[in-house]
Each structure stands twice: as structure tokens, then as C-alpha cells.
Amino acid sequence: MDHPSPPQEDANTIPKRTTPTWDMELLLSGATVFALFQAAQAMLAGGAYLLPRLQDNVAMLASLLFTYGFGGLILLALTFALHLTIRAYWVALIGMNSVFPGGVRMDAFKSGPLAKDILNRRWQSMEVAIERADNAATIVFGIGVSIVLVLVPVSLGVTLMFAVVTLVGWATGLQKYFMEMMLGLMALLFLPYMLAAGFDKA
């Protein structure tokens, strides 16, 4: 019994194996990348104005939060800009595949046999190139979202620890031991996790 061959994909449509969230990725990256660069510029100007006017522990906390926030904004903006670049390459490949279905015909090149042999060995099918570009764009987008998911909890945790240590210092009159208390609280919170992770890895 003959089995019907799978239908061929139309070169004028988006491949069926395309990441289903590609349109949302483009929407989010395109809407936020320029705003992120502007926000980073505004944050840098605000930090240059505010940080020199703070003192003691408040200045320390503000500097720490500024470092996390500004670094996070720059990383996120660069990640989404890279995502848009890869998506643009992906769109170009799809457009090229609609003009040259199945890829460029190597036999049409007016070159010598050695050049044709090198091109044939290095050339990959359009379907493979499109899928790789699609996967790379989605991975970069996921990295950008992961940066947010990591930096936001860290910033909130550092702020909360600072508030607790400051209140304890004011209540006990031990403000001069602020750094020691901060390091002790960080060790109390993170050391058990580090030990458990090391034990689990071993």
C-alpha cells in the first residue's frame, strides 16, 4: 500500500515549524527596545544628579540599586536589539525563499568548479537556515526575559535586607556595624542555599 507523501510547504508562507510566539516577540521587542535605551539614558542622568547628594547607608543602597538597575536596563536593551536583528535576518531568509524556492540554484552561478564545490559544501538548505534563525531569535528573547526574572528579585531582596538592617541598627544603636550586619544577614540567607546546592552537585 502506498503512503501519501507529506504536503510540501508553500514558499510564499511562513514555515509551519516557526515558533508560534514570533509575532508577540517582535511586538514586545519592538515596543520596548527604544524605550529601554531612553530609560537607561534618563536613569544615568538621574543617578549622576542624585547619588553625589546622598550620604552614608542611603548612598550605599542607592549606588547598589543603581548598579543593578542600570546594568539590567542596558543588558535587556542590548538583548532585545539583538533579538530584533536576528528576527530581521529570519524575515530576510523567508523573503529570499519566496523568491528562490528551495534556495539559490548553485548550477546557475557563473563560477569555476572549485568555487561551486565550496559553495555546495557550505550551503545549507533554506528550511534549515530559516529554522535555525527562528530558534536563535526565540532563545535570545528568552534570555532577555530571564535577565528580568533574575535582576528584579535580587534588587528587591537587597532592598529588603537593607531596610531590615537599617531598622535593627536604629533600634539597637549599632549603626556603625551596618556593613557587618548586612554581610551577616546575606550569609544567613544565601549560605544555606549555597551549601545545599554544593551538596546536591556533589
Side-chain angles (χ1 to χ4, degrees):
M1 180 178 180
D2 295 334
H3 295 281
S5 58
Q8 298 293 325
E9 291 186 352
D10 186 0
N12 295 318
T13 61
I14 297 177
K16 295 180 180 180
R17 290 173 58 88
T18 299
T19 303
T21 57
W22 68 269
D23 50 349
M24 293 301 298
E25 293 177 12
L26 277 175
L27 178 63
L28 290 175
S29 293
T32 58
V33 63
F34 300 106
L36 287 172
F37 278 115
Q38 293 178 349
Q41 184 178 3
M43 186 176 181
L44 183 61
Y49 174 81
L50 180 62
L51 292 178
R53 290 167 171 79
L54 301 177
Q55 295 180 352
D56 301 331
N57 296 337
V58 178
M60 184 186 305
L61 175 65
S63 300
L64 190 60
L65 292 179
F66 175 81
T67 302
Y68 277 118
F70 185 73
L73 281 178
I74 293 298
L75 284 175
L76 196 59
L78 292 177
T79 302
F80 284 157
L82 178 60
H83 170 260
L84 288 177
T85 302
I86 299 176
R87 276 295 169 197
Y89 173 67
W90 171 74
V91 170
L93 288 176
I94 293 179
M96 186 176 178
N97 191 43
S98 67
V99 178
F100 300 99
V104 179
R105 292 178 54 189
M106 294 299 175
D107 56 354
F109 274 91
K110 296 180 179 180
S111 57
L114 293 179
K116 287 184 178 180
D117 181 65
I118 294 175
L119 287 174
N120 282 321
R121 283 190 283 110
R122 293 185 176 181
W123 186 264
Q124 57 185 356
S125 66
M126 293 299 295
E127 290 77 11
V128 173
I130 291 172
E131 185 174 356
R132 285 182 177 178
D134 176 49
N135 294 337
T138 301
I139 291 173
V140 171
F141 184 83
I143 292 174
V145 175
S146 300
I147 290 173
V148 177
L149 295 178
V150 170
L151 289 180
V152 170
V154 169
S155 300
L156 292 177
V158 171
T159 304
L160 181 60
M161 286 190 294
F162 177 87
V164 170
V165 172
T166 301
L167 290 176
V168 171
W170 285 345
T172 59
L174 299 176
Q175 293 93 335
K176 62 180 180 179
Y177 298 108
F178 173 84
M179 184 57 66
E180 288 79 1
M181 290 189 295
M182 190 75 175
L183 292 176
L185 182 59
M186 292 178 64
L188 183 64
L189 292 177
F190 294 112
L191 189 59
Y193 171 78
M194 295 175 62
L195 291 175
F199 178 77
D200 178 64
K201 185 177 180 179

